[in-house]
Amino acid sequence: AQTVTQSQPEMSVQEAETVTLSCTYDTSESDYYLFWYKQPPSRQMILVIRQEAYKQQNATENRFSVNFQKAAKSFSLKISDSQLGDAAMYFCACATSGTYKYIFGTGTRLKVLA
Amino acid sequence: DTAVSQTPKYLVTQMGNDKSIKCEQNLGHDTMYWYKQDSKKFLKIMFSYNNKELIINETVPNRFSPKSPDKAHLNLHINSLELGDSAVYFCASSQAHRAGQPQHFGDGTRLSIL
């Protein structure tokens, strides 16, 4: 069975600082994809970043980057130069080629302090 | 232009009633999904359709019936509503039914059962 675990229910970061959100996953499949989604108070789910498991290079999108440790099954999200607009729930998700389903973690609420 | 739109955004109704939530995507995607997000923010897939064909049907009560009249629309009908159905329901779409495809989410429908 596929599982995704986010062990930090809540995190805080000072504006302009860097924060790392943790995610671990478990799957027996070799072909899978990992995602981070952001859910601001407006409720919409927004894709932040995507990583293919077969790629060793960590994905980056502007101020967002991941630390993908395949052997450890870890997929953390680093947010640099945090902005007030980054405040949101962040969800980690895993999708395998076997089931095609997204399995989401329980989310981490990020607070950005001015 | 809204990519994935759901109506209504809020739905308040009595136990035992029947209600529908509509979803439309204008992205030209082949695959659409319904998710349920509970009060603890846990997001779980309910159904997925690919080109109007049901692909994923999670362990969801029979009271929930999705309908896809064409690949741009996926509606969710719920019979005999129960208190436990209170949640936010998200519609999403992806270009194809493949694990690596990013999913685009609607703004969600908050269903409250009195």
Side-chain angles (χ1 to χ4, degrees), chain A residues 31-33 35 37 39 42-47 50 89 91 95-97 99-102 104-106 109, chain B residues 9-10 35 37 40-43 45 56 58 88 90 97-103 105-110:
Chain A
D31 187 16
Y32 57 91
Y33 299 79
F35 305 84
Y37 277 83
Q39 186 178 38
S42 64
R43 217 167 60 195
Q44 190 183 15
M45 294 283 287
I46 303 162
L47 177 66
R50 170 180 172 269
M89 283 287 287
F91 292 94
T96 68
S97 292
T99 64
Y100 302 108
K101 291 189 296 188
Y102 273 32
F104 283 89
T106 49
R109 182 176 300 282
Chain B
K9 290 196 184 318
Y10 298 93
Y35 286 86
Q37 186 175 44
K40 295 184 179 178
K41 299 290 189 183
F42 185 59
L43 198 62
I45 184 138
I56 293 173
E58 287 295 283
V88 179
F90 283 95
H97 195 249
R98 284 197 290 271
Q101 292 288 319
Q103 294 186 12
F105 286 78
D107 289 345
T109 296
R110 182 176 295 280

Coordinates of all heavy atoms in Angstrom, one line a residue, chain A residues 31-33 35 37 39 42-47 50 89 91 95-97 99-102 104-106 109, chain B residues 9-10 35 37 40-43 45 56 58 88 90 97-103 105-110:
Chain A
D31 N 8.1 3.1 -10.3 CA 7.7 4.2 -11.2 C 6.7 5.1 -10.5 O 5.5 4.7 -10.4 CB 7.2 3.7 -12.5 CG 7.0 4.9 -13.5 OD1 7.5 6.0 -13.3 OD2 6.3 4.6 -14.5
Y32 N 7.1 6.2 -10.0 CA 6.2 7.1 -9.2 C 6.6 8.5 -9.4 O 7.7 8.8 -9.8 CB 6.0 6.6 -7.8 CG 7.3 6.6 -7.0 CD1 7.8 7.8 -6.3 CD2 8.1 5.5 -7.0 CE1 8.9 7.8 -5.6 CE2 9.3 5.5 -6.2 CZ 9.7 6.6 -5.6 OH 10.9 6.6 -4.8
Y33 N 5.7 9.4 -8.9 CA 5.9 10.8 -9.0 C 5.5 11.4 -7.7 O 4.6 10.9 -7.0 CB 5.0 11.4 -10.1 CG 5.3 10.8 -11.5 CD1 4.8 9.6 -11.9 CD2 6.1 11.5 -12.4 CE1 5.1 9.1 -13.1 CE2 6.4 11.0 -13.6 CZ 5.9 9.8 -14.0 OH 6.2 9.3 -15.2
F35 N 4.7 15.2 -5.6 CA 4.1 16.5 -5.8 C 4.0 17.2 -4.4 O 3.8 16.6 -3.4 CB 2.7 16.5 -6.4 CG 2.6 15.7 -7.6 CD1 2.4 14.3 -7.6 CD2 2.6 16.3 -8.9 CE1 2.2 13.6 -8.7 CE2 2.5 15.6 -10.0 CZ 2.3 14.2 -10.0
Y37 N 1.6 20.4 -3.2 CA 0.5 21.3 -3.5 C 0.3 22.3 -2.3 O 0.6 21.9 -1.1 CB -0.8 20.5 -3.6 CG -1.0 19.9 -5.0 CD1 -0.4 18.7 -5.4 CD2 -1.8 20.6 -6.0 CE1 -0.6 18.2 -6.6 CE2 -1.9 20.1 -7.3 CZ -1.4 18.9 -7.6 OH -1.5 18.4 -8.8
Q39 N -2.4 24.9 -0.4 CA -3.8 25.3 -0.3 C -3.9 26.5 0.6 O -3.9 26.4 1.8 CB -4.6 24.1 0.3 CG -6.1 24.4 0.3 CD -6.9 23.3 0.9 OE1 -6.6 22.6 1.8 NE2 -8.1 23.0 0.3
S42 N -8.0 30.5 0.6 CA -9.0 30.6 -0.4 C -9.5 29.2 -0.8 O -10.5 29.0 -1.5 CB -8.5 31.3 -1.7 OG -7.4 30.5 -2.2
R43 N -8.8 28.2 -0.3 CA -9.2 26.8 -0.5 C -8.7 26.1 -1.8 O -8.6 24.9 -1.8 CB -10.7 26.7 -0.4 CG -11.3 25.5 0.3 CD -12.7 25.6 0.5 NE -13.5 25.8 -0.7 CZ -14.8 26.3 -0.6 NH1 -15.4 26.6 0.5 NH2 -15.5 26.4 -1.7
Q44 N -8.3 26.9 -2.8 CA -7.9 26.3 -4.0 C -6.6 25.5 -3.8 O -5.7 25.9 -3.1 CB -7.7 27.3 -5.1 CG -7.5 26.8 -6.5 CD -7.2 27.9 -7.5 OE1 -6.9 29.0 -7.1 NE2 -7.3 27.5 -8.7
M45 N -6.5 24.3 -4.5 CA -5.2 23.5 -4.4 C -4.4 23.9 -5.6 O -4.8 23.8 -6.8 CB -5.6 22.0 -4.5 CG -6.3 21.5 -3.4 SD -5.3 21.2 -1.9 CE -4.4 19.8 -2.5
I46 N -3.1 24.4 -5.3 CA -2.2 24.9 -6.4 C -1.0 24.0 -6.4 O -0.3 23.8 -5.4 CB -1.9 26.3 -6.1 CG1 -3.1 27.2 -6.0 CG2 -0.9 26.9 -7.1 CD1 -2.9 28.5 -5.3
L47 N -0.6 23.6 -7.6 CA 0.6 22.8 -7.7 C 1.8 23.7 -7.5 O 1.9 24.7 -8.1 CB 0.7 22.1 -9.1 CG 1.9 21.3 -9.4 CD1 2.0 20.1 -8.5 CD2 2.0 21.0 -10.9
R50 N 6.8 19.4 -8.8 CA 6.6 18.0 -9.2 C 8.0 17.4 -9.4 O 8.9 18.0 -9.9 CB 5.8 18.0 -10.5 CG 5.7 16.6 -11.2 CD 4.9 16.9 -12.5 NE 4.8 15.7 -13.3 CZ 5.7 15.4 -14.3 NH1 6.7 16.3 -14.5 NH2 5.6 14.3 -15.0
M89 N -1.7 25.8 3.7 CA -1.5 24.4 4.0 C -0.7 23.8 2.8 O -1.0 24.1 1.7 CB -2.8 23.6 4.1 CG -3.6 23.8 5.4 SD -2.8 22.9 6.8 CE -3.3 21.2 6.4
F91 N 0.5 20.3 1.0 CA 0.3 18.9 1.0 C 1.3 18.2 0.1 O 1.6 18.6 -1.0 CB -1.1 18.6 0.4 CG -2.2 19.0 1.3 CD1 -2.8 20.2 1.2 CD2 -2.7 18.1 2.3 CE1 -3.8 20.6 2.0 CE2 -3.7 18.5 3.2 CZ -4.3 19.8 3.0
A95 N 2.0 9.6 -6.5 CA 1.2 8.9 -7.5 C 2.1 7.9 -8.2 O 3.2 8.2 -8.6 CB 0.6 9.9 -8.5
T96 N 1.6 6.6 -8.3 CA 2.3 5.6 -8.9 C 1.7 5.2 -10.2 O 0.5 5.4 -10.4 CB 2.4 4.3 -8.0 OG1 1.1 3.7 -7.9 CG2 2.9 4.6 -6.6
S97 N 2.6 4.6 -11.1 CA 2.1 4.2 -12.4 C 1.1 3.0 -12.3 O 0.4 2.7 -13.2 CB 3.2 3.9 -13.3 OG 3.9 5.1 -13.6
T99 N -1.3 2.5 -9.9 CA -2.7 2.9 -9.5 C -3.1 4.2 -10.1 O -4.3 4.4 -10.1 CB -2.8 2.9 -8.0 OG1 -2.0 4.0 -7.5 CG2 -2.3 1.6 -7.3
Y100 N -2.2 5.1 -10.5 CA -2.5 6.4 -11.0 C -3.1 7.3 -9.9 O -3.4 8.5 -10.2 CB -3.5 6.3 -12.2 CG -3.0 5.5 -13.3 CD1 -3.5 4.3 -13.6 CD2 -1.9 6.0 -14.1 CE1 -3.0 3.5 -14.7 CE2 -1.4 5.3 -15.1 CZ -2.0 4.0 -15.4 OH -1.5 3.3 -16.5
K101 N -3.4 6.8 -8.7 CA -4.1 7.6 -7.7 C -3.0 8.5 -7.0 O -1.9 8.1 -6.8 CB -4.7 6.8 -6.7 CG -5.9 6.0 -7.1 CD -6.6 5.3 -6.0 CE -5.7 4.3 -5.3 NZ -6.5 3.5 -4.3
Y102 N -3.5 9.7 -6.7 CA -2.7 10.6 -5.8 C -3.0 10.1 -4.4 O -4.2 10.1 -4.0 CB -3.2 12.0 -5.9 CG -2.5 12.9 -7.0 CD1 -2.1 12.4 -8.2 CD2 -2.4 14.3 -6.8 CE1 -1.5 13.2 -9.1 CE2 -1.8 15.1 -7.7 CZ -1.4 14.6 -8.9 OH -0.8 15.4 -9.8
F104 N -2.4 11.6 -0.7 CA -2.0 12.8 -0.1 C -1.5 12.6 1.4 O -2.1 11.7 2.0 CB -3.1 13.9 -0.1 CG -3.3 14.6 -1.4 CD1 -4.2 14.0 -2.3 CD2 -2.6 15.7 -1.7 CE1 -4.4 14.6 -3.6 CE2 -2.8 16.4 -2.9 CZ -3.7 15.8 -3.9
G105 N -0.6 13.4 1.8 CA -0.3 13.5 3.2 C -1.3 14.3 4.0 O -2.2 14.8 3.3
T106 N -1.2 14.4 5.3 CA -2.1 15.1 6.1 C -1.9 16.6 6.1 O -2.8 17.3 6.7 CB -2.1 14.6 7.5 OG1 -0.8 14.6 8.0 CG2 -2.7 13.2 7.6
R109 N 0.6 23.1 8.0 CA 0.2 24.5 8.0 C 1.4 25.4 8.2 O 2.1 25.3 9.2 CB -0.9 24.8 9.0 CG -1.4 26.2 9.0 CD -2.5 26.5 10.0 NE -3.7 25.6 9.8 CZ -4.6 25.8 8.9 NH1 -4.5 26.8 8.1 NH2 -5.6 25.0 8.8
Chain B
K9 N -20.4 26.8 -4.7 CA -19.2 26.9 -3.8 C -19.6 26.5 -2.4 O -18.7 26.0 -1.7 CB -18.6 28.3 -3.8 CG -18.0 28.7 -5.1 CD -17.1 29.9 -4.9 CE -16.5 30.4 -6.2 NZ -16.0 29.4 -7.1
Y10 N -20.8 26.8 -2.0 CA -21.3 26.4 -0.7 C -22.6 25.7 -0.9 O -23.4 26.1 -1.7 CB -21.4 27.6 0.2 CG -20.2 28.4 0.5 CD1 -19.8 29.4 -0.3 CD2 -19.3 28.0 1.5 CE1 -18.6 30.1 -0.1 CE2 -18.1 28.6 1.7 CZ -17.8 29.7 0.9 OH -16.6 30.3 1.2
Y35 N -12.6 14.5 -5.2 CA -11.9 14.3 -4.0 C -12.8 14.8 -2.8 O -13.6 15.7 -3.0 CB -10.6 15.1 -3.9 CG -9.5 14.6 -4.7 CD1 -9.3 14.9 -6.0 CD2 -8.5 13.7 -4.1 CE1 -8.2 14.4 -6.8 CE2 -7.4 13.2 -4.9 CZ -7.3 13.6 -6.2 OH -6.3 13.1 -7.0
Q37 N -12.4 16.3 1.1 CA -11.5 16.8 2.1 C -12.2 17.0 3.4 O -13.2 17.8 3.5 CB -10.8 18.1 1.7 CG -9.8 18.6 2.7 CD -9.0 19.9 2.3 OE1 -9.6 20.8 1.8 NE2 -7.7 19.9 2.5
K40 N -10.4 17.6 9.0 CA -9.0 17.6 9.4 C -8.1 17.9 8.2 O -6.9 17.7 8.3 CB -8.6 16.3 10.1 CG -9.3 16.1 11.4 CD -8.9 14.8 12.1 CE -9.6 14.7 13.4 NZ -9.2 13.4 14.2
K41 N -8.7 18.2 7.1 CA -8.0 18.6 5.9 C -7.4 17.4 5.1 O -6.7 17.6 4.2 CB -6.8 19.6 6.2 CG -7.3 20.9 6.8 CD -8.0 21.7 5.8 CE -8.2 23.1 6.3 NZ -9.0 23.9 5.4
F42 N -7.8 16.2 5.5 CA -7.3 15.0 4.8 C -8.1 14.9 3.5 O -9.3 14.9 3.4 CB -7.5 13.8 5.7 CG -7.0 12.5 5.1 CD1 -5.6 12.5 4.8 CD2 -7.8 11.5 4.7 CE1 -5.1 11.3 4.2 CE2 -7.2 10.3 4.2 CZ -5.9 10.3 3.9
L43 N -7.3 14.8 2.4 CA -7.8 14.8 1.1 C -7.7 13.4 0.5 O -6.6 12.8 0.4 CB -7.0 15.7 0.2 CG -7.5 16.2 -1.1 CD1 -8.8 17.1 -0.9 CD2 -6.4 17.1 -1.8
I45 N -9.1 10.6 -2.7 CA -9.8 10.5 -3.9 C -11.1 9.6 -3.8 O -11.1 8.7 -3.0 CB -8.9 9.8 -5.0 CG1 -9.6 9.8 -6.3 CG2 -8.5 8.4 -4.6 CD1 -8.8 10.1 -7.5
I56 N -11.4 5.0 -11.5 CA -11.2 4.8 -10.1 C -12.5 4.9 -9.4 O -13.2 5.9 -9.6 CB -10.2 5.7 -9.6 CG1 -8.8 5.5 -10.2 CG2 -10.1 5.6 -8.0 CD1 -7.7 6.5 -9.8
E58 N -13.2 4.5 -5.5 CA -12.8 4.1 -4.2 C -13.9 3.6 -3.3 O -15.1 3.6 -3.8 CB -12.1 5.3 -3.5 CG -10.8 5.6 -4.0 CD -9.7 4.6 -3.8 OE1 -9.2 4.4 -2.7 OE2 -9.4 3.8 -4.8
V88 N -15.4 19.3 2.3 CA -15.2 20.1 1.1 C -14.9 19.1 0.0 O -14.1 18.2 0.1 CB -14.0 21.1 1.2 CG1 -13.8 21.8 -0.1 CG2 -14.3 22.1 2.4
F90 N -13.7 18.4 -3.8 CA -12.9 19.1 -4.9 C -13.0 18.3 -6.2 O -12.9 17.0 -6.2 CB -11.4 19.1 -4.5 CG -11.1 20.2 -3.5 CD1 -11.0 19.9 -2.2 CD2 -10.8 21.5 -4.0 CE1 -10.7 20.9 -1.3 CE2 -10.5 22.5 -3.1 CZ -10.5 22.2 -1.7
H97 N -4.7 10.1 -18.1 CA -4.8 9.3 -17.0 C -3.4 8.6 -16.8 O -3.2 7.4 -17.0 CB -5.9 8.2 -17.1 CG -6.2 7.5 -15.8 ND1 -5.9 6.2 -15.6 CD2 -6.8 8.0 -14.7 CE1 -6.3 5.9 -14.4 NE2 -6.8 7.0 -13.8
R98 N -2.4 9.4 -16.3 CA -1.1 8.9 -16.1 C -0.6 9.5 -14.8 O -0.9 10.6 -14.4 CB -0.2 9.3 -17.2 CG -0.3 8.5 -18.5 CD 0.9 8.7 -19.4 NE 1.0 10.0 -20.0 CZ 0.4 10.3 -21.1 NH1 -0.3 9.5 -21.8 NH2 0.6 11.5 -21.6
A99 N 0.1 8.7 -14.1 CA 0.6 9.1 -12.7 C 1.3 10.4 -12.6 O 1.2 11.2 -11.7 CB 1.4 8.0 -12.1
G100 N 2.1 10.7 -13.7 CA 2.9 11.9 -13.6 C 2.2 13.2 -14.0 O 2.8 14.3 -13.9
Q101 N 1.0 13.1 -14.4 CA 0.2 14.3 -14.8 C -0.2 15.1 -13.6 O -0.8 14.6 -12.7 CB -1.0 13.8 -15.6 CG -0.8 13.2 -16.9 CD -0.3 14.2 -17.9 OE1 -0.7 15.3 -18.0 NE2 0.7 13.7 -18.7
P102 N 0.2 16.4 -13.7 CA -0.3 17.3 -12.6 C -1.8 17.4 -12.7 O -2.4 17.4 -13.8 CB 0.4 18.6 -12.9 CG 1.4 18.3 -13.9 CD 1.0 17.1 -14.6
Q103 N -2.4 17.5 -11.5 CA -3.9 17.7 -11.5 C -4.2 19.2 -11.2 O -3.5 19.8 -10.3 CB -4.5 16.8 -10.4 CG -4.3 15.3 -10.8 CD -5.0 14.4 -9.9 OE1 -5.8 14.8 -9.1 NE2 -4.7 13.1 -10.0
F105 N -7.0 21.7 -9.8 CA -8.2 21.6 -8.9 C -9.1 22.8 -9.1 O -8.7 23.9 -9.4 CB -7.7 21.5 -7.5 CG -7.1 20.2 -7.1 CD1 -5.8 19.8 -7.4 CD2 -7.8 19.3 -6.3 CE1 -5.3 18.6 -7.1 CE2 -7.3 18.1 -6.0 CZ -6.0 17.7 -6.4
G106 N -10.4 22.5 -8.8 CA -11.3 23.6 -8.7 C -11.2 24.2 -7.3 O -10.4 23.8 -6.5
D107 N -12.1 25.1 -7.0 CA -12.0 25.9 -5.7 C -12.7 25.1 -4.6 O -12.7 25.6 -3.5 CB -12.7 27.2 -5.9 CG -11.9 28.2 -6.7 OD1 -10.7 27.8 -6.9 OD2 -12.4 29.2 -7.2
G108 N -13.4 24.0 -4.9 CA -14.0 23.2 -3.9 C -15.4 23.7 -3.6 O -15.8 24.8 -3.9
T109 N -16.2 22.7 -3.1 CA -17.6 23.0 -2.7 C -17.7 22.5 -1.3 O -17.5 21.4 -0.9 CB -18.6 22.2 -3.6 OG1 -18.5 22.6 -4.9 CG2 -20.0 22.3 -3.0
R110 N -18.0 23.5 -0.4 CA -18.2 23.2 1.0 C -19.6 22.7 1.3 O -20.6 23.5 1.1 CB -17.9 24.4 1.9 CG -18.0 24.0 3.4 CD -17.6 25.2 4.3 NE -16.2 25.5 4.2 CZ -15.2 24.9 4.8 NH1 -15.4 23.8 5.5 NH2 -13.9 25.3 4.6

